[in-house]
Amino acid sequence: MTIRCTSCSHEIQEDDLPRLSDIARVLCPECHQPLTLPEMTIPLSLTQVHGRRSSDAALDPGKKYALLVLSGSETGRVIEIDTALVTIGRSGCYVILDDPELSRRHARIRIRGAVGDLEDMGSTNGTFVGSERIQGSVAIENRSKFRIGGVELVFVVTDRLA
């Protein structure tokens, strides 16, 4: 299926679009204007994963969340997280990283309080915790390190100061 931008008439294939469950709005890659997407772009797999509903994901209002880039071209970057479902990849994701080894939509973290579930999204090069390529999802907590492509990240959860 093809979506046409109402601002610039650029055509985008549905497979190249981020999923509505992953981000709040989608912008045209040409003119950067918001796109109107049909509901059919929301796959069932995002509403039901491993027997849990996506509504199980929730941020703890007393916590702050971030990803720190430990290696790669963006070493030192701090990415604040303000949503319970974080997608990571080269394009169309909540966190976009500049690394040719990443898939467009490489991995996602579903945050539940002080922990997160890290899941590979069928990437070509895999998602690793330590030296192990993950299958399905793996629980991560404060200071957990993981690697996608040539980028090492750390998941950070801290208390929010009043």
Side-chain angles (χ1 to χ4, degrees):
M1 178 178 180
T2 302
I3 306 295
R4 183 181 301 271
C5 177
T6 56
S7 297
C8 70
S9 299
H10 179 73
E11 289 188 358
I12 306 132
Q13 294 298 316
E14 181 181 8
D15 291 344
D16 293 334
L17 292 171
R19 303 298 174 208
L20 292 179
S21 295
D22 293 345
I23 60 175
R25 67 182 193 175
V26 179
L27 303 179
C28 173
E30 288 294 312
C31 68
H32 305 289
Q33 293 300 310
L35 295 172
T36 302
L37 302 177
E39 289 186 30
M40 65 178 25
T41 61
I42 303 173
L44 180 61
S45 62
L46 289 180
T47 60
Q48 182 89 27
V49 177
H50 304 295
R52 292 188 312 261
R53 298 201 57 82
S54 61
S55 60
D56 289 348
L59 298 179
D60 180 336
K63 303 284 184 193
K64 287 174 57 176
Y65 304 87
L67 290 173
L68 305 178
V69 180
L70 299 178
S71 67
S73 66
E74 299 179 67
T75 299
R77 179 178 170 197
V78 177
I79 304 157
E80 293 185 21
I81 298 171
D82 60 5
T83 182
L85 183 61
V86 178
T87 54
I88 309 167
R90 269 186 304 128
S91 67
C93 293
Y94 182 86
V95 175
I96 297 172
L97 298 170
D98 181 25
D99 186 306
E101 294 182 34
L102 293 181
S103 295
R104 279 181 273 181
R105 289 178 290 280
H106 196 102
R108 74 175 140 225
I109 302 171
R110 183 172 276 109
I111 299 172
R112 296 176 294 110
V115 299
D117 292 322
L118 174 65
E119 180 182 1
D120 185 85
M121 296 174 69
S123 69
T124 302
N125 294 323
T127 300
F128 294 81
V129 174
S131 61
E132 299 293 318
R133 185 173 183 158
I134 67 170
Q135 303 295 323
S137 68
V138 173
I140 58 173
E141 55 191 23
N142 185 34
R143 298 185 184 174
S144 291
K145 294 179 184 178
F146 61 96
R147 182 174 55 82
I148 56 174
V151 180
E152 186 176 23
L153 299 152
V154 63
F155 178 65
V156 178
V157 181
T158 57
D159 289 330
R160 187 176 297 277
L161 299 176

